[in-house]
Amino acid sequence: MSQQEHPDDQFVPEDDAVIGRAFRASALVIAAIAAAVAGVLLLGGEEQAEEEVREKEVGPIEDLEAPMEALPSVRFTDVTADSGLGFRHRNGAAAGGELKLLPETMGGGAAFFDYDGDGDQDLLLVDSGSFGGGAARNALYRNDGSGRFEDVTEAEGLGGAPYGMGVAVGDHDGDGDVDVFLTGVGGNRLFRNDPQGFTDVTEAAGVGGREDAWTTSAGFFDADGDGDLDLFVCHYVRWSPEIDADIGYTLNGKDSAYGSPLNYQGTFSSLYRNDGDGTFTDVSAEAGIQVANAATGAPMGKALGVAFRDLDGDGKMDILVANDTVQNHLFLNEGGCRFKEVADRTGFGFDSNGGATGAMGIDAADFRGDGSLGVCIGNFANEMSSLYVRQRGRLRFNDDAMGEGIGSPSRLRLSFGLFFLDYDLDGRLDLLQVNGHLDETINEVQPSQTYRQPAQLFWNQGPDARSCFTEVPAADTGDLGRDLVGRGSAYADIDGDGDLDVLLCQVAEPPVLLRNDQELGRRVLRIRLRQPGMNRDALGARVEVDVNGRTLVREVTATRSYLSQSELPLTFGLGAEGSVERVEVIWPDGARQLAPLPEGDPVPMTIERSV
């Protein structure tokens, strides 16, 4: 929907400050030009007038922008090998193979979660395997608390999907530990976390899906407000090897290449309602999440990423879906496990030019710190990342990627996983996105593109700057700036030092685990929530922390990025001398609870529900 269709939506209160700064700067420039022109006219007049001319110095135009803080010096160190990770993703692609199969270039997800309940973040890496016999070999690593990992896959009995893609984690049966749901081509798998290891309960739970389906990202959330965790599963395109063969896609006119999703039919995603006894019911059709193309009647969606937030403040979790080459979806929760698709009329469906993008990873956060909420989506090459910002007090989004500083730097990149995080602990949420192209030969036909691409880190310099984000030069980020074939991504504090470390997944390559080596002397507050009932980890809760007059807001959800899940504990950077003035939890059912103020540094807090 174009902006011209809603002229009354174009000006909001926060625009006035921007317009005012621009007007004042323009007025000074106009005044200086007018003075110079007047001088020329006087000098060209009669001799008597010339004698009356007096020279007047015009001072420099004042810089009306607030001075930008210096970029923080933070480097990330590759500790993949030193930490004990020996995993390498397999996609089954044969070198020089006659036919390239589209799923071969799309996999590579991961999850940080505390599977053994010892308080630190363990790691699951999702393998794809190959078509025609090579089953996926996932890897589960137990963290010893210091960032050293031990491979316990075989001991814990965690298998994989037929051709693996992504992962979602959550306590689906309410027994107090975290279960694992895996997506892929050929069906899903659900593994229940038991004392003796993981047990495949897919068939009994009813979440296997169709054998001809291609599922991607997924996430647990409470869709109907009954206190247990339901499950949303993204479906990509209708695909088979035969369809790839019929399309016969090529880049150079002779060799097989990975096809564009424009050549494939869309599919409907799935919503599984938790029945409270370890089983689920597929309510996709009646829930209103199956959107058909109005012209053809065929399924519209080509879903790769999903996020859950309460967008309209009614206490119910809504669904944001990143769709590849078709409009994004925003499913507004109407209660009773019923949703209404409103992306087009809210400005979330298309980019700032009114077009659909090649959307992959997604995350949402209050990055400005003013309650406006931003939803960032990584897009295909030659499409800048999207940054949909909700207008305060309205369910209306504007794509502010250009104005907020991520548009131009992201345009040439092909971005998959991304997330907001406070990497320098100043209290502001920064942005990291991992990039990489699809075909190894892309540079031969598109000189501006490369197969391997560096990740991008955008530092949040605050809402008073000309743009909120500025790209951190790759050379200043340590090993984060290396070229990768990036796909999924996740973050966690793996070593217990309070700052956030990151994992960048690759297709057909090992993942890269990067330790955050910031030494800025800043304080940090880490909060974990616990409540009774089926949703023990309080997914959907919100925590507000007042620090030196600012309110920092974080929401409890593991589902973000692409095919991946990040840790549940919340991180609040307090800066060098941050003083915590209030900690308040808004639990998933809306109940509010003030927590005692923390002591010590760094501060790990567990807040148990008392109301």
Side-chain angles (χ1 to χ4, degrees):
M1 185 177 294
S2 66
Q3 292 182 343
Q4 287 79 2
E5 295 175 18
H6 295 275
D8 58 318
D9 290 341
Q10 297 313 296
F11 298 100
V12 291
E14 53 265 40
D15 291 334
D16 294 340
V18 177
I19 294 169
R21 288 198 299 269
F23 178 78
R24 289 193 296 273
S26 300
L28 287 173
V29 174
I30 292 169
I33 294 172
V37 171
V40 171
L41 292 175
L42 287 170
L43 287 171
E46 297 180 358
E47 184 174 346
Q48 183 178 359
E50 187 176 300
E51 293 176 353
E52 297 175 359
V53 174
R54 297 290 186 270
E55 292 184 3
K56 183 177 181 180
E57 293 185 3
V58 178
I61 296 174
E62 180 183 359
D63 184 3
L64 298 176
E65 293 290 341
M68 190 185 84
E69 299 177 36
L71 277 168
S73 178
V74 176
R75 298 183 71 83
F76 290 83
T77 302
D78 184 346
V79 294
T80 311
D82 292 342
S83 66
L85 301 185
F87 177 84
R88 182 186 184 94
H89 177 263
R90 299 175 309 136
N91 68 344
E98 293 184 2
L99 180 63
K100 291 188 174 181
L101 305 176
L102 186 58
E104 293 170 351
T105 193
M106 301 294 287
F112 281 115
F113 69 118
D114 183 9
Y115 91 90
D116 54 1
D118 63 356
D120 51 48
Q121 297 301 306
D122 309 302
L123 175 61
L124 172 65
L125 295 164
V126 180
D127 188 33
S128 294
S130 65
F131 295 102
R137 295 196 297 265
N138 296 331
L140 177 64
Y141 289 93
R142 181 168 56 209
N143 191 342
D144 68 2
S146 69
R148 289 280 305 173
F149 293 89
E150 176 189 4
D151 189 337
V152 294
T153 314
E154 185 174 347
E156 297 293 349
L158 188 61
Y163 185 90
M165 283 281 146
V167 54
V169 293
D171 183 6
H172 87 281
D173 54 359
D175 65 353
D177 49 34
V178 185
D179 309 303
V180 173
F181 179 80
L182 296 166
T183 66
V185 180
N188 314 308
R189 295 292 183 272
L190 177 63
F191 291 88
R192 186 182 62 217
N193 192 342
D194 293 324
Q196 69 274 15
F198 286 91
T199 302
D200 189 336
V201 294
T202 309
E203 185 175 353
V207 292
R210 300 195 322 269
E211 292 185 359
D212 62 346
W214 179 354
T215 55
T216 53
S217 294
F220 288 98
F221 76 121
D222 188 357
D224 50 7
D226 65 353
D228 54 30
L229 295 180
D230 310 296
L231 178 64
F232 187 92
V233 183
C234 293
H235 290 244
Y236 191 34
V237 296
R238 181 173 173 268
W239 177 87
S240 70
E242 292 74 25
I243 292 175
D244 267 348
D246 289 342
I247 291 174
Y249 193 79
T250 180
L251 289 174
N252 57 18
K254 56 179 181 178
D255 298 318
S256 175
Y258 297 111
S260 165
L262 291 171
N263 297 319
Y264 301 82
Q265 181 178 301
T267 57
F268 292 136
S269 292
S270 297
L271 177 61
Y272 295 97
R273 186 190 64 217
N274 194 327
D275 295 328
D277 58 359
T279 67
F280 293 81
T281 298
D282 188 340
V283 295
S284 308
E286 57 265 39
I289 65 157
Q290 294 185 341
V291 182
N293 185 301
T296 66
M300 178 189 291
K302 300 179 182 181
L304 289 176
V306 63
F308 311 109
R309 295 293 187 278
D310 178 10
L311 298 174
D312 53 1
D314 65 353
K316 299 186 285 288
M317 299 303 292
D318 309 304
I319 308 171
L320 296 152
V321 178
N323 280 319
D324 192 1
T325 69
V326 298
Q327 76 162 68
N328 300 316
H329 286 152
L330 194 169
F331 297 108
L332 201 63
N333 195 330
E334 297 185 311
C337 223
R338 289 284 306 171
F339 293 82
K340 185 174 185 179
E341 208 291 306
V342 296
D344 187 28
R345 74 185 195 195
T346 59
F348 182 70
F350 302 99
D351 67 8
S352 57
N353 296 317
T357 61
M360 265 76 79
I362 185 173
D363 195 15
D366 180 14
F367 71 93
R368 288 177 177 166
D370 62 0
S372 56
L373 188 75
V375 183
C376 195
I377 293 179
N379 292 320
F380 203 76
N382 301 312
E383 298 173 342
M384 62 187 179
S385 295
S386 301
L387 183 58
Y388 298 98
V389 181
R390 184 186 59 192
Q391 298 174 5
R392 283 183 292 178
R394 305 183 61 188
L395 187 55
R396 173 75 188 176
F397 291 88
N398 295 325
D399 187 352
D400 289 350
M402 284 294 293
E404 293 293 16
I406 69 170
S408 294
S410 65
R411 187 179 296 277
L412 285 179
R413 305 302 184 195
L414 200 168
S415 303
F416 279 88
L418 56 75
F419 47 70
F420 293 99
L421 81 167
D422 182 4
Y423 78 94
D424 62 336
L425 301 180
D426 64 355
R428 299 190 294 261
L429 288 170
D430 314 296
L431 177 69
L432 186 150
Q433 63 181 36
V434 59
N435 309 311
H437 218 288
L438 304 185
D439 201 294
E440 293 180 349
T441 64
I442 188 64
N443 186 251
E444 298 175 10
V445 294
Q446 295 186 35
S448 66
Q449 292 297 314
T450 57
Y451 182 53
R452 300 178 185 276
Q453 301 178 3
Q456 291 175 287
L457 181 63
F458 294 91
W459 178 59
N460 189 333
Q461 53 191 340
D464 295 330
R466 179 179 284 111
S467 59
C468 200
F469 293 104
T470 185
E471 186 180 15
V472 182
D476 295 344
T477 63
D479 294 328
L480 181 66
R482 60 187 282 192
D483 290 344
L484 303 172
V485 193
R487 293 298 182 263
S489 60
Y491 66 76
D493 177 13
I494 64 170
D495 47 11
D497 63 356
D499 55 35
L500 293 175
D501 313 295
V502 301
L503 179 85
L504 308 181
C505 297
Q506 300 190 83
V507 64
E509 297 280 351
V512 179
L513 182 61
L514 297 158
R515 186 184 63 216
N516 187 334
D517 285 334
Q518 66 84 25
E519 296 179 347
L520 301 172
R522 293 172 176 171
R523 303 182 62 223
V524 60
L525 171 63
R526 299 257 301 162
I527 294 178
R528 183 180 67 165
L529 301 183
R530 286 289 183 270
Q531 67 173 4
M534 295 285 287
N535 184 9
R536 174 77 169 148
D537 292 312
L539 269 68
R542 187 172 78 252
V543 178
E544 298 177 356
V545 175
D546 289 350
V547 182
N548 293 357
R550 285 191 299 162
T551 299
L552 310 181
V553 180
R554 306 287 185 266
E555 298 183 79
V556 181
T557 176
T559 304
R560 49 174 48 90
S561 186
Y562 171 74
L563 305 180
S564 303
Q565 310 268 282
S566 290
E567 66 171 8
L568 286 179
L570 305 175
T571 297
F572 295 85
L574 306 179
E577 301 184 14
S579 176
V580 177
E581 299 154 354
R582 178 181 68 100
V583 177
E584 186 168 11
V585 180
I586 298 87
W587 296 99
D589 63 358
R592 305 182 75 99
Q593 176 181 337
L594 285 171
L597 298 183
E599 298 178 0
D601 182 31
V603 182
M605 289 181 65
T606 296
I607 301 177
E608 297 275 357
R609 180 164 183 171
S610 62
V611 292

